[in-house]
Amino acid sequence: MIEITNLQKSYVTGNTSLHVLKGIDFSVKEGELVSIMGSSGSGKSTLLNILGMLDEADQGTYMLDNTPIKNLNEKIAAQYRNKFLGFIFQSFNLINYKTAVDNVALPLYYQKVGRKERDEKAMHYLEKVGLADWANHLPNQLSGGQKQRVAIARALASDPKVLLADEPTGALDTKTSYEVMELIQGINEEGRTILIVTHEPDIAEMTKRVVNLKDGRIIDDRLVNQIKASAHV
Amino acid sequence: MFNRDRWIEIIEALNANKLRTLLTAFGVFWGIFILVALLALTNGLRNGATANFANSATNSMFMWGQSTSVPYKGMNKGRRVQFKLADVEVLKEKMPSLKYVSPRQQLGGYQGANNVTRDEKTGAFQVNGDYPEYIYQQYMDIVKGRWLNYSDIQKEMKSAVIGTDVVKSLYDIGEEPIGTYIKLQGVNFKVVGVFENPNTQGDSEEEANTIFIPFTSFAKAFNTADNVQWMAITAHDDVSITDVKEQVLSIMREQRSVHPDDKRAIGNFDRAELFAKFTGLFDILSFVGYFVGALVLLSGGIGISNIMLIVVKERTNEIGVRRALGATPWAIKSQILQESIVLTLISGLAGIAFSAGLIWFMNYFLDNNGPVENFANPSVNIVVVVIALIILSIAGLLAGFIPASRATTMKPVDALRTE
Ligand SMILES: Nc1ncnc2c1ncn2[C@@H]1O[C@H](COP(=O)(O)OP(=O)(O)OP(=O)(O)O)[C@@H](O)[C@H]1O
Ligand SMILES: [Mg+2]
């Protein structure tokens, strides 16, 4: 599903250049649940953003679902993001003046899906994350865990190939984190490919594979025995 | 481009910060309001002032004899210039560009001594000896009977056409004036018509206080022979009276043996010139109205642009999220452009509606409280309103343009990182 080779990225600020990714080779197969770990500043978010086409690599190749991702103009990039990817952010990034159901429907709006079908699908995903009763609430009327579940429903709405989550439990307490992880595990069970950036070992333990980054390189990549989040809840 | 979803998006976004939306809208609202109101007021003044001209042929001049100020052909200065009836014929003959040359003799006048009697009733009125053409130079409504005609002139009929104010002073209410006799300085004249001045402004009172009799009957009744006191001259439509005025005056100087450079001997009043001055003045006023209105509108537009920039900056993160969810740059840009246009148009329309209300109120007030001197029927041309709306839409588009392109120049990752 994801194939990257020799991925490199530097940030240039003023006349200093910071080499953040120093050649990443990495591949993810369909249906995997991968966590990316590493100390702060090791380049986890940078990698995920490049995978998400939110940022561009300086060097290396990137294939997503057998489509080369290289020198895309913004219009194509936007269409690929819409079709292939779903994002889950640490700070939820819900649009605060839209209700839960309208937030979930937004990717479908950009897919030019009709209003009725959009609302039906959005309600379907809200039900899936257990928030059907909160459909018409604004984000500031929801708890952190609920917001993240709405965000997950939104990421799922366009039925993407891959979910990319940057510290999805970073702003949540332990119990809520596990609830969110349980949801993510369930989605993975249905066969969806998911990448999670985290620095919490217990969250990483709930994925199927842990990739460790250090100073812009992968130092460790191993399969783990997945711990079911439901066991903790 | 403007489907229902877009509208909902736009309304949601504008609703997200109501106070700011209102304040932004106010700039444009105020701009268009000032523009329309200024133009309406200018038009009101223009209509009011030109109403004074409305019932007269504006392409006209008037002249009368005064005293010479230069000795000429052995005659001392200070001699009175007396026009004669023959001068009228000479003018008509030498100047085919003139449409009407109406001589007049005149008696009495406004606030003069009583000169008209009917039974026990008396009054002081202006009595004009005129030719029938005069009615084409100063329009009057003949409300009863008829106007003077050439039969009156030729037969030196003692006919009189009297103003409505004359009727009020000399007749009882309900009394029929046509066919009755009135005495003008002791001479009996038969009333054949009653006129009213359609011009309800300015000197209407004076005008309705007038009695018109045939020029020839005037000369005979008051022994003025072929003397002419005053002439009303109108040029053909394709000739400006102002252009031929000098020619008329020099013919008259020659006729009356006045030194060619004696400017004071013949008095004249050029109605066309005055009218041109008036219209020129109001053209300037309109221009000032447009100019000030456009400036206020421009500042409103700049306000919208500024606010949209702030909106885009504040919504950087939201725009990043939308792009992560698959919004194309055009989708983002067009939304911002549309927000800007909608905001501009709605506030502009509100401004137009509000000023229309004001104009309606002014007209309502004028209708109910009677005419005001030099102000009538304030209004704006619908074309101006349409042009203002088009300018508004363009302004909204331009105002949104910089913010819209600013919104998509950033990489999505940077937009998302902005809080
Ligand atoms: N836009 C940027 N400009 C300059 N430097 C940047 C930029 N984004 C990230 N960096 C730098 O790149 C390095 C890697 O950042 P990145 O966000 O990928 O780290 P991370 O592994 O996600 O850390 P954390 O666990 O704290 O989120 C950091 O040193 C950071 O300061
Ligand atoms: Mg990070």
Side-chain angles (χ1 to χ4, degrees):
Chain A
M1 182 61 67
I2 291 175
E3 286 271 349
I4 54 173
T5 51
N6 190 31
L7 202 71
Q8 301 210 20
K9 174 79 181 174
S10 303
Y11 287 116
V12 182
T13 18
N15 42 21
T16 58
S17 171
L18 185 66
H19 204 180
V20 180
L21 298 180
K22 297 171 179 166
I24 306 274
D25 298 292
F26 171 61
S27 66
V28 179
K29 286 193 282 296
E30 191 166 356
E32 278 198 284
L33 175 54
V34 184
S35 58
I36 299 168
M37 301 235 353
S39 55
S40 188
S42 55
K44 306 183 295 293
S45 296
T46 305
L47 176 61
L48 201 76
N49 288 335
I50 292 171
L51 294 179
M53 289 180 256
L54 298 172
D55 203 352
E56 269 183 287
D58 301 332
Q59 261 185 50
T61 59
Y62 172 21
M63 298 283 283
L64 176 62
D65 199 31
N66 297 319
T67 311
I69 306 300
K70 184 77 184 170
N71 294 331
L72 302 179
N73 69 30
E74 241 308 299
K75 188 180 168 197
I76 306 286
Q79 284 163 354
Y80 281 8
R81 282 195 291 267
N82 188 278
K83 196 162 68 169
F84 291 130
L85 303 169
F87 292 90
I88 302 163
F89 304 95
Q90 179 175 358
S91 52
F92 322 124
N93 279 339
L94 298 177
I95 291 172
N96 58 19
Y97 56 81
K98 283 180 178 292
T99 59
V101 66
D102 285 344
N103 264 287
V104 176
L106 203 54
L108 298 168
Y109 171 68
Y110 289 120
Q111 260 177 19
K112 300 191 165 62
V113 174
R115 162 161 286 268
K116 194 159 169 272
E117 190 186 342
R118 218 159 65 210
D119 285 348
E120 276 167 14
K121 279 195 176 171
M123 275 312 291
H124 166 74
Y125 285 105
L126 270 183
E127 262 163 43
K128 199 173 163 77
V129 300
L131 287 176
D133 292 344
W134 276 265
N136 293 314
H137 285 61
L138 289 173
N140 61 14
Q141 298 164 329
L142 301 173
S143 73
Q146 287 172 328
K147 280 187 216 174
Q148 196 60 300
R149 275 147 66 188
V150 172
I152 291 170
R154 182 176 68 181
L156 288 173
S158 59
D159 194 18
K161 304 269 183 214
V162 179
L163 284 193
L164 299 174
D166 195 347
E167 311 211 22
T169 60
L172 305 174
D173 62 31
T174 315
K175 183 172 173 292
T176 322
S177 295
Y178 292 163
E179 283 167 7
V180 166
M181 282 312 292
E182 190 188 358
L183 187 61
I184 288 174
Q185 283 176 342
I187 293 162
N188 175 245
E189 290 303 307
E190 290 167 7
R192 207 174 304 268
T193 316
I194 303 175
L195 266 72
I196 298 175
V197 164
T198 182
H199 54 252
E200 295 164 79
D202 53 337
I203 298 296
E205 293 287 296
M206 293 177 182
T207 63
K208 294 172 174 169
R209 174 182 163 195
V210 179
V211 175
N212 242 305
L213 277 190
K214 192 181 179 194
D215 291 337
R217 287 201 169 85
I218 295 177
I219 54 162
D220 183 32
D221 186 345
R222 63 195 160 85
L223 297 175
V224 292
N225 274 331
Q226 191 185 28
I227 294 172
K228 288 288 174 191
S230 51
H232 288 278
V233 180
Chain B
M1 201 157 110
F2 272 103
N3 56 29
R4 184 165 157 236
D5 290 329
R6 262 294 156 77
W7 278 112
I8 293 170
E9 283 274 312
I10 291 169
I11 289 162
E12 270 181 353
L14 293 178
N15 252 329
N17 196 332
K18 289 196 186 66
L19 180 67
R20 188 174 57 203
T21 302
L22 264 178
L23 287 177
T24 312
F26 188 75
V28 169
F29 167 84
W30 194 236
I32 198 96
F33 173 73
I34 296 275
L35 176 68
V36 176
L38 273 180
L39 291 179
L41 287 176
T42 313
N43 270 343
L45 287 173
R46 185 199 293 267
N47 293 340
T50 51
N52 293 327
F53 291 96
N55 302 303
S56 48
T58 39
N59 200 18
S60 302
M61 66 175 283
F62 306 90
M63 63 181 179
W64 55 91
Q66 300 184 152
S67 301
T68 57
S69 62
V70 181
Y72 188 57
K73 287 183 177 172
M75 290 177 283
N76 288 334
K77 64 176 187 177
R79 178 176 56 91
R80 269 216 72 80
V81 175
Q82 177 63 62
F83 294 168
K84 294 289 181 184
L85 212 43
D87 300 339
V88 176
E89 294 314 313
V90 171
L91 272 178
K92 280 183 178 168
E93 189 184 318
K94 286 193 177 171
M95 299 211 52
S97 58
L98 300 182
K99 199 170 174 185
Y100 306 117
V101 181
S102 309
R104 169 185 286 179
Q105 279 290 62
Q106 192 175 316
L107 258 187
Y110 191 54
Q111 292 176 337
N114 285 347
N115 54 0
V116 180
T117 58
R118 175 177 178 257
D119 304 334
E120 307 90 68
K121 291 189 170 133
T122 60
F125 302 109
Q126 182 178 316
V127 178
N128 291 339
D130 263 299
Y131 271 83
E133 292 97 314
Y134 185 70
I135 199 164
Y136 303 121
Q137 295 171 294
Q138 176 69 53
Y139 312 125
M140 285 168 264
D141 285 341
I142 303 299
V143 292
K144 271 182 189 153
R146 63 169 177 89
W147 174 244
L148 304 175
N149 58 31
Y150 266 94
S151 164
D152 293 321
I153 295 284
Q154 278 146 18
K155 296 179 186 156
E156 297 174 356
M157 300 290 286
K158 297 221 164 35
S159 312
V161 177
I162 61 178
T164 43
D165 283 4
V166 180
V167 177
K168 270 184 218 151
S169 343
L170 297 184
Y171 294 85
D172 292 329
I173 296 169
E175 213 178 337
E176 176 58 55
I178 304 293
T180 61
Y181 287 85
I182 52 176
K183 273 200 168 74
L184 310 181
Q185 290 199 339
V187 185
N188 256 323
F189 278 79
K190 186 179 177 185
V191 176
V192 297
V194 176
F195 76 91
E196 191 175 61
N197 213 310
N199 174 8
T200 52
Q201 298 215 340
D203 48 6
S204 61
E205 207 175 329
E206 194 180 340
E207 296 272 345
N209 253 322
T210 306
I211 296 167
F212 288 95
I213 58 174
F215 184 90
T216 48
S217 329
F218 187 106
K220 197 176 177 194
F222 306 117
N223 289 318
T224 54
D226 61 346
N227 284 351
V228 171
Q229 209 170 337
W230 195 80
M231 283 187 211
I233 301 172
T234 303
H236 283 291
D237 292 346
D238 53 347
V239 184
S240 158
I241 191 74
T242 311
D243 292 344
V244 298
K245 182 171 70 178
E246 272 316 312
Q247 226 176 319
V248 169
L249 291 173
S250 57
I251 291 172
M252 284 308 290
R253 287 191 196 106
E254 206 185 309
Q255 283 293 110
R256 292 292 116 225
S257 307
V258 172
H259 189 279
D261 295 331
D262 189 349
K263 302 285 178 210
R264 265 190 263 164
I266 298 171
N268 74 84
F269 169 74
D270 181 345
R271 196 188 256 162
E273 199 173 57
L274 186 72
F275 187 67
K277 270 187 193 149
F278 261 105
T279 37
L281 177 70
F282 289 111
D283 285 345
I284 291 172
L285 265 181
S286 293
F287 176 77
V288 170
Y290 277 112
F291 189 71
V292 172
L295 280 187
V296 182
L297 200 57
L298 180 71
S299 70
I302 292 173
I304 292 226
S305 190
N306 263 329
I307 295 287
M308 290 310 291
L309 268 180
I310 295 171
V311 166
V312 165
K313 207 169 161 61
E314 262 180 21
R315 279 164 51 190
T316 306
N317 181 262
E318 180 195 318
I319 289 166
V321 174
R322 284 173 181 270
R323 291 173 71 186
L325 298 179
T328 57
W330 173 241
I332 302 279
K333 273 185 196 161
S334 63
Q335 182 172 352
I336 288 160
L337 284 179
Q338 285 167 24
E339 273 177 39
S340 167
I341 294 172
V342 166
L343 193 56
T344 317
L345 270 182
I346 288 180
S347 36
L349 285 172
I352 288 173
F354 198 73
S355 43
L358 181 81
I359 292 168
W360 179 85
F361 180 78
M362 286 195 289
N363 279 313
Y364 180 80
F365 183 84
L366 289 177
D367 286 349
N368 280 292
N369 297 301
V372 174
E373 185 99 16
N374 286 329
F375 192 83
N377 185 27
S379 57
V380 280
N381 195 333
I382 189 74
V383 177
V384 172
V385 174
V386 171
I387 290 173
L389 275 179
I390 292 170
I391 290 175
L392 269 178
S393 321
I394 294 171
L397 196 71
L398 290 181
F401 211 76
I402 297 170
S405 55
R406 179 86 39 104
T408 48
T409 44
M410 224 184 228
K411 278 193 292 182
V413 63
D414 295 325
L416 276 167
R417 227 194 308 266
T418 315
E419 275 313 312

